[in-house]
């Protein structure tokens, strides 16, 4: 099983906070991989808030190809944090040439483009680079987005973090998602490592997605180039979120209603029953069947957690105003925020969505049985 | 054997027949029940003369003969009276003195069953026992990576949608703007497929209707029943139970005069309207109700004279092209119920099905597509149509589903599959396989007749005389002397038992796959098959 940990804090934190939390939950994961999503960056990256950041792993030839591509696109490097590990990698971790985090300056021709077009083009660049490097594994690109850094690697999270030196002071963020396990249900592939990212939003999942194939087919037939990859059955959760927010222009509250709709009998008595029924019917292929706990981050830095409709996976949220963490297990939460009022810890059940907004003052909660807060 | 030309080309012996009667003189009590019950009069009272030689020892008396007579059964061997293997003789015999046995030699009757130049017509389905659906296994079992569910304790939502479902963006827009939303029914994925009032006896129909009502109202299983082409009894049309009914309109329009007249008095809308363009048992041929079964009641409901053959044309007479006539017919039927009732066509599975489907995707009023495969059953059809015409259901369902996936409309036009489901008794497994190949639900007829009323028909050509109204179980007969054998209450009870056990079996399939909250439509990663060609063709896992 995977273990998930997410933290949001008003002061920037080192990703090691999350790595340590994964480590205390080690009994619950097999230490086969680690994935990090960081946003609302601190450290050296804070000054480059607007510029898109490319995160990935590149071979020496891959770097050259990347430079050529970015120059052709008229992107200029503003800042970089790349590390070339010289030590022997930990057991199970392949040797790589370059782990790269680069901040770019937008091409001059993009200046007057609408926001939506810029976002589309950023995604297109990420997908193109990924495709270019896919065959010979010379480029592995995880994200290309302002104020977002992603690091993924195969191997034990603590060992990988030490190997990569993730405790360096340049690397800090106020919102961090971390997951500790490679994809063991399908082939080992670094792209299968959670969290998954698309256009500013990321999710990670604990548990297998039994309805993966029909969901993937539905997403792939939406005529949206970003809905691709799917080396992991959990990537669809990120794309469903994207579909909900960007294509349907709905919100997080309805995301829960899409992936785990209420039963027909429950809808009969729900104040928004007819509308929710319509949503359930038209989004039927997006219904997940668990067992899944999904944690994610929205473009506005809201962190959230939802459970599948059978609530078969663990998950808890707790903290203090200014710092909250979501964790698969209580011990992970204890490791990250030991001084908190534990009586206010909350374990969301099958109807709940819990979230901490960008102001980080409290844990919000919606139940699917409540009437929708926004009129649809 | 007489040498004077008495041997006719179609003279047959019992050896030439598919079914041979074994009769025990020892056990027979000469009650005559078997000869009375035999639907085709294949057996008759036999007065057998017997010679016994009497040879005494010694030379004093000459050997002699004693002639005696005994009474028993004689099997008739002429074509019209060949035994059909129904076994009713055995069922009524107090001493089990008689039983039909299948000939292990290929029969010769098949070469002669066209006397008078009329090809064989019969009921039942394709005489082939193999079933590709039976070969499909469910291989993606949730083990240590995710827990298998408990079929007995978890909550399951076994529902499907019948109706045109708008894509999410469109549905939200229409909802916002208050536009017309196509009607969608949330129903059970098992539909009792088109068996007409006329093809079935009144007791059978009544029994099924009672069972359907009970399942809906007492068991919370929203199962639906499709009428087939034969109309609907007037009281049912005007009752609240109409909502459990899918009214079928076919090329003969039988019964539609009555339905249209009942429209203003309907308390409920029907579940849906099925426009039948074809069926799996006789693809490209129209419906057929033979004159034997057209009694006064049937004639009245269908609006025809009694005692005449009722062959529906192979196609709707108004049909000119799919773009115009089919679309218009769908629209007309929708309009008749104020666009509140889903309307969908049913076709025979055919290699041209994708053309139909693609057209339907562009018709906003088309609510679904039902396809009936080559193993579909019928009450009457030409034997050649039944045995040789049609397309297997599995591959056409898969093609249709993948075609919808390609254009992104897999949730918009549900596919319903029929034909040979549960042919060898594996109703739930076959249904689940089709659902995972892409069907939204299944239509089942023959299995229901076998399981709820004891239909004797088989793919070894047993019985299969549904067409002539002599069904020995009273399922497809219109003769009150025969159909009163069937107690409708018992049929209803059996239907409830059958569906409830189907429900449990479906859960027993879904739970180990980790599915419970939605029907696993298109969950093709869960299934596998040992036949490599079939795996490749269906795009599923090849397992050995």
């Amino acid at each position: 099983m995977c273990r998930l940990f997410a933290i949001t804090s008003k002061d920037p934190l080192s990703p090691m906070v999350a790595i340590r939390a994964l480590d205390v939950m080690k009994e619950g994961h097999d230490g086969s991989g680690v994935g990090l999503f960081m946003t609302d960056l601190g450290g050296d990256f804070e000054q480059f808030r607007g510029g898109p950041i490319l995160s990935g792993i590149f071979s020496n030839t891959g770097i050259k190809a990347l430079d050529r591509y970015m120059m052709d696109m008229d992107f200029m490097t503003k800042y970089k944090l790349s590390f070339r590990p010289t030590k022997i990698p930990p057991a199970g971790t392949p040797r790589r040439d370059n782990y790269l985090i680069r901040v770019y300056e937008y091409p001059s021709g993009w200046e007057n483009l609408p926001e939506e077009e810029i976002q589309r083009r950023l995604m297109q660049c990420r997908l193109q680079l990924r495709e270019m490097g896919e065959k010979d594994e010379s480029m592995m690109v995880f994200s290309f987005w302002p104020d977002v850094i992603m690091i993924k690697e195969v191997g034990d999270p603590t060992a990988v973090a030490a190997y990569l030196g993730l405790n360096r002071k340049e690397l800090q963020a106020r919102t961090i998602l971390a997951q500790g396990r490679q994809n063991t249900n399908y082939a080992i592939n670094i792209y299968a490592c959670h969290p998954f990212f698309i256009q500013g939003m990321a999710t990670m999942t604990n548990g297998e997605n039994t309805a993966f194939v029909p969901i993937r087919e539905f997403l792939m037939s939406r005529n949206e180039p970003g809905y691709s990859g799917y080396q992991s059955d959990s990537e669809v959760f990120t794309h469903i979120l994207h579909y909900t927010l960007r294509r349907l222009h709905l919100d997080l509250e309805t995301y829960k209603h899409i992936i785990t709709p209420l039963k027909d009998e429950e809808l009969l008595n729900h104040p928004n029953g007819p509308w929710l029924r319509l949503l359930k019917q038209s989004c039927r292929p997006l219904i997940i069947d668990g067992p899944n706990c999904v944690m994610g981050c929205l473009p506005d830095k809201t962190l959230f957690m939802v459970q599948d409709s059978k609530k078969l996976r663990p998950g808890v949220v707790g903290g203090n105003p200014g710092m909250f963490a979501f964790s698969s297990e209580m011990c992970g939460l204890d490791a990250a925020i030991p001084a908190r009022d534990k009586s206010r810890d909350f374990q969301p059940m099958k109807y709940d969505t819990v979230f901490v907004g960008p102001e980080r003052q409290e844990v919000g909660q919606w139940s699917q049985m409540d009437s929708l807060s926004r009129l649809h | 054997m007489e040498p004077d030309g008495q041997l006719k080309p179609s003279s047959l012996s019992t050896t030439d027949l598919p079914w041979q009667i074994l009769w025990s003189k020892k056990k027979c009590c000469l009650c005559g029940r078997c000869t009375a019950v035999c639907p085709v009069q294949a057996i008759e009272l036999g007065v057998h003369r017997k010679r016994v030689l009497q040879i005494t020892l010694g030379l004093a008396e000459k050997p002699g003969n004693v002639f005696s007579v005994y009474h028993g059964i004689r099997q008739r061997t002429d074509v019209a009276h060949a035994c059909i293997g129904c076994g009713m003789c055995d069922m009524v015999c107090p001493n089990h003195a008689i039983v039909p046995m299948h000939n292990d030699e290929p029969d010769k009757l098949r070469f002669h069953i066209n006397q008078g130049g009329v090809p064989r017509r019969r009921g039942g389905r394709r005489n082939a026992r193999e079933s590709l659906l039976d070969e499909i296994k469910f291989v993606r079992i949730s083990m240590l990576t995710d827990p298998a569910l408990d079929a007995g304790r978890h909550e399951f939502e076994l529902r499907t949608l019948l109706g045109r479902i708008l894509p999410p963006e469109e549905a939200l827009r229409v909802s916002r703007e208050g536009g017309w939303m196509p009607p969608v029914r949330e129903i059970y994925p098992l539909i009792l497929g088109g068996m007409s009032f006329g093809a079935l006896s009144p007791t059978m129909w009544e029994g099924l209707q009672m069972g359907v009502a009970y399942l809906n109202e007492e068991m919370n299983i929203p199962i639906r029943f499709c009428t087939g082409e034969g109309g609907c009894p007037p009281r049912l049309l005007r009752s609240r139970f109409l909502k459990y009914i899918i009214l079928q309109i076919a090329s003969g329009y039988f019964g539609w005069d009555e339905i249209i007249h009942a429209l203003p008095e309907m308390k409920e809308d029907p579940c849906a309207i099925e426009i039948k363009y074809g069926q799996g048992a006789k693809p490209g041929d129209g419906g057929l109700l033979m004159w034997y079964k057209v009694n006064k009641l049937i004639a009245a409901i269908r609006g025809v004279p009694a005692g005449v053959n009722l062959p529906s044309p192979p196609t709707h007479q108004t049909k000119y092209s799919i773009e115009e006539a089919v679309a218009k017919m769908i629209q007309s039927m929708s309009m008749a119920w104020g666009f509140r009732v889903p309307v969908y066509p049913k076709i025979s599975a055919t290699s041209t099905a994708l053309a139909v489907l693609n057209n339907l995707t562009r018709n906003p009023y088309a609510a679904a597509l039902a396809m009936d495969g080559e193993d579909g059953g019928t009450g009457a059809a030409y034997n050649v149509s039944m045995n040789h015409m049609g397309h297997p259901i599995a591959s056409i369902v898969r093609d249709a589903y993948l075609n919808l996936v390609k254009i992104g409309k897999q949730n918009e036009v549900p596919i319903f599959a029929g034909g040979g489901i549960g042919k060898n008794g594996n109703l739930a497994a076959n249904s689940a396989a089709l659902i995972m190949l892409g069907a939204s639900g299944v239509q089942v007829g023959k299995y229901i007749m076998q399981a709820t009323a004891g239909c004797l028909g088989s793919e070894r050509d047993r019985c299969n005389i549904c067409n002539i109204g002599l069904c020995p179980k009273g399922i497809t007969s219109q003769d009150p002397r025969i159909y009163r054998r069937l107690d409708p209450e018992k049929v209803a009870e059996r239907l409830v038992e059958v569906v409830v056990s189907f429900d449990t079996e479906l859960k027993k399939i879904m739970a180990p796959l980790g599915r419970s909250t939605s029907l696993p439509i298109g969950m093709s990663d869960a299934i596998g098959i040992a036949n490599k060609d079939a795996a490749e063709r269906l795009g599923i896992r090849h397992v050995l």
Side-chain angles (χ1 to χ4, degrees), chain A residues 77-93:
Chain A
T77 310
K78 275 204 314 204
Y79 175 85
K80 65 180 174 186
L81 177 67
S82 50
F83 15 101
R84 294 183 180 200
T86 48
K87 294 174 287 185
I88 300 161
T93 306

mmCIF file of all heavy atoms in Angstrom, chain A residues 77-93:
data_model
loop_
_atom_site.group_PDB
_atom_site.id
_atom_site.type_symbol
_atom_site.label_atom_id
_atom_site.label_comp_id
_atom_site.label_asym_id
_atom_site.label_seq_id
_atom_site.Cartn_x
_atom_site.Cartn_y
_atom_site.Cartn_z
ATOM 1 N N THR A 77 16.782 30.691 -19.615
ATOM 2 C CA THR A 77 16.966 30.213 -18.245
ATOM 3 C C THR A 77 17.248 31.391 -17.317
ATOM 4 O O THR A 77 18.115 32.215 -17.598
ATOM 5 C CB THR A 77 18.145 29.226 -18.179
ATOM 6 O OG1 THR A 77 17.964 28.258 -19.191
ATOM 7 C CG2 THR A 77 18.226 28.571 -16.822
ATOM 8 N N LYS A 78 16.483 31.464 -16.217
ATOM 9 C CA LYS A 78 16.687 32.540 -15.260
ATOM 10 C C LYS A 78 17.453 32.057 -14.035
ATOM 11 O O LYS A 78 18.198 32.771 -13.416
ATOM 12 C CB LYS A 78 15.320 33.088 -14.803
ATOM 13 C CG LYS A 78 14.790 34.131 -15.749
ATOM 14 C CD LYS A 78 13.803 35.108 -15.172
ATOM 15 C CE LYS A 78 12.691 34.640 -14.326
ATOM 16 N NZ LYS A 78 11.537 35.536 -14.275
ATOM 17 N N TYR A 79 17.189 30.788 -13.703
ATOM 18 C CA TYR A 79 17.789 30.238 -12.494
ATOM 19 C C TYR A 79 17.736 28.727 -12.607
ATOM 20 O O TYR A 79 16.812 28.179 -13.204
ATOM 21 C CB TYR A 79 16.991 30.692 -11.267
ATOM 22 C CG TYR A 79 17.456 30.093 -9.960
ATOM 23 C CD1 TYR A 79 18.498 30.682 -9.249
ATOM 24 C CD2 TYR A 79 16.856 28.948 -9.442
ATOM 25 C CE1 TYR A 79 18.934 30.120 -8.044
ATOM 26 C CE2 TYR A 79 17.287 28.393 -8.253
ATOM 27 C CZ TYR A 79 18.328 28.985 -7.552
ATOM 28 O OH TYR A 79 18.753 28.422 -6.371
ATOM 29 N N LYS A 80 18.733 28.080 -12.047
ATOM 30 C CA LYS A 80 18.653 26.613 -12.071
ATOM 31 C C LYS A 80 19.184 26.004 -10.788
ATOM 32 O O LYS A 80 20.069 26.569 -10.141
ATOM 33 C CB LYS A 80 19.365 26.038 -13.280
ATOM 34 C CG LYS A 80 20.841 26.256 -13.304
ATOM 35 C CD LYS A 80 21.418 25.628 -14.564
ATOM 36 C CE LYS A 80 22.903 25.983 -14.681
ATOM 37 N NZ LYS A 80 23.468 25.525 -15.924
ATOM 38 N N LEU A 81 18.616 24.881 -10.478
ATOM 39 C CA LEU A 81 19.106 24.091 -9.353
ATOM 40 C C LEU A 81 19.219 22.672 -9.889
ATOM 41 O O LEU A 81 18.227 21.951 -9.969
ATOM 42 C CB LEU A 81 18.111 24.153 -8.188
ATOM 43 C CG LEU A 81 18.460 23.309 -6.979
ATOM 44 C CD1 LEU A 81 19.707 23.818 -6.280
ATOM 45 C CD2 LEU A 81 17.302 23.308 -5.969
ATOM 46 N N SER A 82 20.391 22.332 -10.339
ATOM 47 C CA SER A 82 20.506 20.961 -10.845
ATOM 48 C C SER A 82 21.562 20.256 -10.028
ATOM 49 O O SER A 82 22.539 20.857 -9.609
ATOM 50 C CB SER A 82 20.841 20.957 -12.332
ATOM 51 O OG SER A 82 21.934 21.797 -12.575
ATOM 52 N N PHE A 83 21.285 19.005 -9.763
ATOM 53 C CA PHE A 83 22.298 18.272 -9.020
ATOM 54 C C PHE A 83 22.684 17.016 -9.779
ATOM 55 O O PHE A 83 21.842 16.290 -10.303
ATOM 56 C CB PHE A 83 21.861 17.930 -7.593
ATOM 57 C CG PHE A 83 20.409 18.066 -7.299
ATOM 58 C CD1 PHE A 83 19.588 16.942 -7.261
ATOM 59 C CD2 PHE A 83 19.851 19.315 -7.051
ATOM 60 C CE1 PHE A 83 18.254 17.063 -6.974
ATOM 61 C CE2 PHE A 83 18.504 19.429 -6.773
ATOM 62 C CZ PHE A 83 17.696 18.303 -6.740
ATOM 63 N N ARG A 84 23.995 16.827 -9.785
ATOM 64 C CA ARG A 84 24.543 15.633 -10.419
ATOM 65 C C ARG A 84 25.124 14.780 -9.322
ATOM 66 O O ARG A 84 26.235 15.022 -8.877
ATOM 67 C CB ARG A 84 25.667 16.004 -11.379
ATOM 68 C CG ARG A 84 25.229 16.806 -12.566
ATOM 69 C CD ARG A 84 26.434 17.021 -13.442
ATOM 70 N NE ARG A 84 26.062 17.792 -14.614
ATOM 71 C CZ ARG A 84 26.784 17.811 -15.708
ATOM 72 N NH1 ARG A 84 27.893 17.127 -15.793
ATOM 73 N NH2 ARG A 84 26.396 18.541 -16.723
ATOM 74 N N PRO A 85 24.394 13.805 -8.860
ATOM 75 C CA PRO A 85 24.893 13.022 -7.729
ATOM 76 C C PRO A 85 26.176 12.290 -8.108
ATOM 77 O O PRO A 85 26.268 11.729 -9.199
ATOM 78 C CB PRO A 85 23.776 12.032 -7.435
ATOM 79 C CG PRO A 85 22.664 12.394 -8.343
ATOM 80 C CD PRO A 85 23.159 13.301 -9.388
ATOM 81 N N THR A 86 27.129 12.345 -7.232
ATOM 82 C CA THR A 86 28.404 11.663 -7.510
ATOM 83 C C THR A 86 28.523 10.380 -6.717
ATOM 84 O O THR A 86 29.272 9.495 -7.059
ATOM 85 C CB THR A 86 29.582 12.589 -7.162
ATOM 86 O OG1 THR A 86 29.350 13.139 -5.855
ATOM 87 C CG2 THR A 86 29.732 13.710 -8.176
ATOM 88 N N LYS A 87 27.777 10.327 -5.610
ATOM 89 C CA LYS A 87 27.869 9.126 -4.772
ATOM 90 C C LYS A 87 27.210 7.931 -5.461
ATOM 91 O O LYS A 87 26.561 8.070 -6.492
ATOM 92 C CB LYS A 87 27.157 9.385 -3.437
ATOM 93 C CG LYS A 87 27.828 10.432 -2.582
ATOM 94 C CD LYS A 87 27.007 10.733 -1.351
ATOM 95 C CE LYS A 87 25.784 11.545 -1.700
ATOM 96 N NZ LYS A 87 24.989 11.972 -0.553
ATOM 97 N N ILE A 88 27.381 6.798 -4.849
ATOM 98 C CA ILE A 88 26.719 5.588 -5.375
ATOM 99 C C ILE A 88 25.238 5.655 -4.981
ATOM 100 O O ILE A 88 24.917 5.930 -3.821
ATOM 101 C CB ILE A 88 27.358 4.318 -4.769
ATOM 102 C CG1 ILE A 88 28.835 4.299 -5.164
ATOM 103 C CG2 ILE A 88 26.657 3.051 -5.235
ATOM 104 C CD1 ILE A 88 29.689 3.401 -4.301
ATOM 105 N N PRO A 89 24.341 5.455 -5.920
ATOM 106 C CA PRO A 89 22.911 5.565 -5.579
ATOM 107 C C PRO A 89 22.467 4.477 -4.609
ATOM 108 O O PRO A 89 23.090 3.413 -4.544
ATOM 109 C CB PRO A 89 22.210 5.404 -6.926
ATOM 110 C CG PRO A 89 23.198 4.798 -7.838
ATOM 111 C CD PRO A 89 24.556 5.123 -7.325
ATOM 112 N N PRO A 90 21.402 4.759 -3.841
ATOM 113 C CA PRO A 90 20.891 3.735 -2.923
ATOM 114 C C PRO A 90 20.354 2.527 -3.687
ATOM 115 O O PRO A 90 20.124 2.610 -4.902
ATOM 116 C CB PRO A 90 19.755 4.446 -2.188
ATOM 117 C CG PRO A 90 19.689 5.832 -2.702
ATOM 118 C CD PRO A 90 20.628 5.990 -3.831
ATOM 119 N N ALA A 91 20.155 1.441 -2.954
ATOM 120 C CA ALA A 91 19.687 0.205 -3.589
ATOM 121 C C ALA A 91 18.385 0.463 -4.337
ATOM 122 O O ALA A 91 17.473 1.075 -3.796
ATOM 123 C CB ALA A 91 19.482 -0.856 -2.520
ATOM 124 N N GLY A 92 18.342 0.012 -5.551
ATOM 125 C CA GLY A 92 17.108 0.132 -6.342
ATOM 126 C C GLY A 92 16.995 1.428 -7.115
ATOM 127 O O GLY A 92 16.166 1.552 -8.000
ATOM 128 N N THR A 93 17.814 2.420 -6.819
ATOM 129 C CA THR A 93 17.748 3.687 -7.536
ATOM 130 C C THR A 93 18.728 3.659 -8.719
ATOM 131 O O THR A 93 19.909 3.385 -8.522
ATOM 132 C CB THR A 93 18.132 4.857 -6.603
ATOM 133 O OG1 THR A 93 17.311 4.783 -5.437
ATOM 134 C CG2 THR A 93 17.947 6.194 -7.283
#
